[in-house]
Amino acid sequence: MSISSSTSPRITTSLLAIMLALFSGCTTASLPSLPVVSGPGAKIDVTSQTHPEASRSFKFDQALYNVDDNSDVTILLIQGTAENPTAVLTARMFWTPIPAQTPIDQTATNATFHLALYNDQPDGSKACAVYAGAGFLYLYNNAGKSKLSAGIWEANLRLADATTNHKNVYDKSKLDGKIIALKNSTLLSENLATINQITAQYLGYPRFMMNPSSPFITPPSDQQLARSY
């Protein structure tokens, strides 16, 4: 059976999703939707469980990624610029889902995440907060290509570090999103170093946005999130 050129995009997308579910062998009722970001960038939804009215979508114009010698994937998303960011998200994936072998559900965890928010207060002071957590990062093409398509699914965030003037509305939040990132290890490292410096300036002490390397990923406890990141 062939699909004519007049077939609607909605039908084509639905068929693709069904085929993906059938051939992947994943034990779940629904998979993360395919990324719809048109170019390099990301759309990330943060849903607060304690302050639902504060839930919002973040759009990142800069999206970079790299694959290290252990095949771990690192993604860096920047809203604004590396020198003057308003939001930054880092993600590190420690293992890649294997079709027909990897179950996908709300408890699946293969990546850690850090979300940093920066803003200047009316009194001239600087506010910053870093949220950290773990969740599922699903790749829609093989890592190592010039462009990577990925989705974040069912990640949990907790407040890890913050200035005293930060209004904490995203503690106990869900993180979901769609990413298209360009492979550029040099620029990723340079931008990350700059962001680490800026974050330290806001907080008043060193705070690295890169996740610690570990082959075992489980949701961190509240005690661990308090200072270990």
Side-chain angles (χ1 to χ4, degrees):
M1 186 182 88
S2 62
I3 301 175
S4 67
S5 59
S6 62
T7 303
S8 69
R10 178 177 299 177
I11 294 175
T12 303
T13 301
S14 299
L15 288 174
L16 180 60
I18 293 171
M19 291 173 64
L20 178 62
L22 288 175
F23 290 103
S24 66
C26 298
T27 58
T28 181
S30 61
L31 288 170
S33 59
L34 290 170
V36 295
V37 183
S38 58
K43 179 179 178 294
I44 305 297
D45 296 325
V46 179
T47 305
S48 175
Q49 298 179 19
T50 56
H51 297 79
E53 72 284 354
S55 301
R56 60 174 290 192
S57 294
F58 291 86
K59 291 185 178 180
F60 296 87
D61 294 328
Q62 297 187 56
L64 303 171
Y65 93 98
N66 184 44
V67 185
D68 65 20
D69 294 338
N70 296 321
S71 299
D72 296 342
V73 175
T74 299
I75 297 176
L76 173 64
L77 307 178
I78 303 174
Q79 185 182 85
T81 65
E83 296 75 18
N84 186 28
T86 55
V88 171
L89 179 69
T90 63
R92 177 171 285 177
M93 185 183 74
F94 296 92
W95 56 266
T96 304
I98 301 175
Q101 296 185 31
T102 304
I104 303 177
D105 56 40
Q106 284 79 356
T107 63
T109 311
N110 74 334
T112 55
F113 303 91
H114 287 83
L115 174 67
L117 305 177
Y118 313 83
N119 60 78
D120 297 327
Q121 300 296 302
D123 61 2
S125 63
K126 295 181 179 294
C128 174
V130 180
Y131 296 87
F136 198 83
L137 185 66
Y138 195 89
L139 304 186
Y140 292 100
N141 65 309
N142 293 331
K145 295 182 178 296
S146 61
K147 187 180 294 185
L148 181 72
S149 296
I152 300 173
W153 193 46
E154 292 292 338
N156 293 285
L157 293 179
R158 298 290 186 273
L159 181 66
D161 290 278
T163 54
T164 56
N165 58 347
H166 168 71
K167 183 179 180 181
N168 180 21
V169 295
Y170 295 123
D171 197 19
K172 297 183 180 179
S173 293
K174 291 285 188 180
L175 185 72
D176 297 276
K178 303 164 186 178
I179 302 167
I180 296 181
L182 299 179
K183 188 174 186 293
N184 192 323
S185 58
T186 301
L187 186 57
L188 185 151
S189 297
E190 292 174 352
N191 285 349
L192 190 59
T194 300
I195 289 166
N196 284 336
Q197 293 177 355
I198 291 173
T199 305
Q201 292 172 2
Y202 270 80
L203 294 174
Y205 51 85
R207 189 8 170 131
F208 298 100
M209 287 292 294
M210 182 54 62
N211 309 323
S213 296
S214 172
F216 305 104
I217 301 301
T218 56
S221 66
D222 291 340
Q223 291 80 8
Q224 290 173 321
L225 286 173
R227 297 300 302 172
S228 65
Y229 286 82

